[in-house]
């Protein structure tokens, strides 16, 4: 990841000299550098919620103006686009790291640029996200350790299994309810943060919709397997599908869906039932 100072220099390199803009932006470089250091120190201490917005303004340049000049204009230059492209390409398979479902389309400012203008082109503060997550997050900033949303660069939890689900049978339909099942190694603050993140981005509902699609897609095949080999053949199939997906992503929504269905005797023995979009259970 580029340094904050390198990103800033790239985004102001082609600034116009009119109205002294270039000179004023170059003069602000030291402020931006110190802001980047403060962000990194807070990130290391897990104290992003303690950052004071007034310490991230730029002297003699209004916050909105500074953001327009540096991010609005600068990110569109050749040098700025190179930084944007690097950040967008960092998301594996173009998947939004906040929801793990949507396709990245935009850059989100983890610490809102409207409140922390000096961080508007800091790579640590720019996260590739899908349009939906960017809209939901808005200008939300952490006001406590527990309310701090998960940061994809700082909270690397993808190697641990934390997503789980349970089946609900109701009027001939099978539904899944997803939830955070934290590993024993997590502390109380991380657990609370993960659950708040899950609720804030409505991940329970989104994953239930995806599970609903999976169940609908496999209904015909599961019915055939059940007739040929009974519940054991259905369970073997579901477990194989779960293992295949969870081997790639231990928290795969599809993988958890197959794993949960495989563990459900009522689903495996049948009779299998079809589900409609209206049967989705929101978190």
């Amino acid at each position: 990841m580029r340094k904050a100072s390198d990103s800033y220099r790239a985004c102001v390199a082609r600034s116009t000299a009119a109205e002294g803009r270039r000179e004023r932006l170059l003069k602000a470089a030291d402020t931006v550098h110190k802001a980047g250091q403060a962000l990194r120190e807070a990130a290391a201490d897990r104290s992003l919620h303690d950052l004071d917005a007034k310490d991230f303004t730029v002297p003699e340049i209004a916050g909105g103006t500074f953001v327009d000049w540096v991010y609005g204009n600068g990110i569109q230059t050749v040098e700025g686009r190179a930084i944007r492209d690097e950040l967008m390409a960092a998301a594996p398979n173009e998947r939004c790291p906040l929801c793990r479902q949507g396709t990245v389309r935009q850059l989100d400012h983890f610490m809102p640029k409207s409140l922390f203008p000096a961080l508007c082109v800091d790579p640590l503060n720019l996260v590739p996200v899908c349009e939906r997550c960017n809209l939901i997050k808005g200008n939300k900033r952490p006001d406590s350790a527990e309310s701090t949303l998960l940061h994809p660069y700082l909270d690397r939890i993808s190697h641990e299994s934390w997503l789980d689900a349970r089946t609900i049978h109701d009027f001939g339909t099978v539904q899944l309810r997803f939830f955070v099942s934290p590993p024993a190694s997590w502390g109380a603050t991380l657990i609370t943060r993960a659950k708040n993140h899950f609720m804030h981005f409505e991940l329970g509902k989104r994953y239930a919709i995806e599970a609903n699609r999976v169940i609908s897609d496999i209904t015909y095949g599961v019915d055939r397997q059940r007739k040929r080999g009974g519940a054991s053949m259905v369970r073997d199939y579901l477990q194989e599908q779960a293992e295949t997906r969870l081997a790639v992503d231990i928290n795969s929504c599809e993988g958890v869906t197959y794993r949960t269905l495989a563990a459900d005797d009522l689903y495996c023995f049948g009779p299998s039932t079809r589900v409609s979009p209206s049967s989705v259970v929101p978190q």
Side-chain angles (χ1 to χ4, degrees):
M1 179 178 291
R2 294 183 186 232
K3 295 180 180 179
S5 55
D6 292 340
S7 177
Y8 181 72
R9 281 195 297 270
C11 288
V12 303
R14 295 178 182 266
S15 298
T16 177
E19 301 178 353
R21 179 183 301 188
R22 181 180 302 161
E23 181 180 353
R24 295 166 70 186
L25 290 176
L26 292 176
K27 186 178 178 180
D30 186 56
T31 297
V32 172
H33 174 68
K34 291 179 179 177
Q37 286 184 318
L39 175 65
R40 283 154 180 76
E41 290 172 3
D45 294 338
R46 294 290 190 267
S47 60
L48 291 175
H49 57 285
D50 286 332
L51 293 178
D52 191 335
K54 73 176 187 297
D55 296 328
F56 293 83
T57 59
V58 179
E60 301 180 8
I61 305 179
T65 299
F66 182 80
V67 171
D68 286 342
W69 287 355
V70 180
Y71 183 74
N73 296 327
I75 208 73
Q76 302 301 325
T77 64
V78 173
E79 296 84 356
R81 283 199 301 272
I83 293 170
R84 182 183 186 279
D85 291 345
E86 286 179 12
L87 292 167
M88 295 291 284
N93 301 316
E94 298 185 356
R95 282 291 179 88
C96 174
L98 298 183
C99 66
R100 301 163 54 81
Q101 291 289 111
T103 301
V104 295
R105 291 284 185 266
Q106 304 170 345
L107 287 177
D108 170 69
H109 290 79
F110 192 82
M111 304 300 288
K113 62 183 183 295
S114 61
L115 301 175
F116 299 82
L119 300 175
C120 67
V121 291
D122 190 320
L124 186 61
N125 196 46
L126 294 172
V127 179
V129 297
C130 67
E131 185 175 0
R132 185 176 187 275
C133 283
N134 202 10
L135 180 63
I136 290 176
K137 181 176 176 294
N139 287 328
K140 179 179 175 58
R141 59 152 298 179
D143 53 21
S144 68
E146 292 76 15
S147 68
T148 304
L149 299 173
L150 298 178
H151 192 305
Y153 306 151
L154 304 174
D155 301 298
R156 299 183 178 277
I157 60 174
S158 60
H159 65 288
E160 299 180 282
S161 177
W162 56 263
L163 180 64
D164 207 349
R166 60 177 176 271
T167 53
I168 299 175
H169 294 269
D170 185 33
F171 297 106
T173 66
V174 58
Q175 309 160 22
L176 263 65
R177 185 185 294 274
F178 287 81
F179 54 91
V180 174
S181 179
S185 60
W186 285 15
T189 299
L190 179 55
I191 292 174
T192 302
R193 289 180 60 207
K195 290 182 177 179
N196 285 340
H197 183 103
F198 195 85
M199 292 180 62
H200 185 77
F201 290 104
E202 303 176 343
L203 300 188
K205 180 178 180 179
R206 296 190 70 176
Y207 294 167
I209 291 173
E210 177 64 16
N212 194 47
R213 181 192 64 76
V214 171
I215 294 172
S216 296
D217 287 348
I218 67 174
T219 295
Y220 177 75
V222 166
D223 284 342
R224 294 188 62 184
Q225 291 182 68
R226 188 179 291 117
K227 293 175 181 178
R228 293 175 179 175
S232 60
M233 180 174 287
V234 172
R235 183 172 287 109
D236 288 345
Y237 162 74
L238 295 172
Q239 290 176 339
E240 180 180 0
Q241 295 300 313
E243 291 171 2
T244 298
R245 288 160 176 77
L246 295 175
V248 177
D249 177 1
I250 198 171
N251 294 295
S252 162
C253 175
E254 283 196 7
V256 172
T257 296
Y258 281 109
R259 182 181 69 196
T260 303
L261 294 175
D264 185 83
D265 287 340
L266 183 55
Y267 180 80
C268 291
F269 278 94
S272 176
T273 55
R274 300 182 184 278
V275 293
S276 61
S278 61
S279 69
V280 171
V281 179
Q283 181 67 21

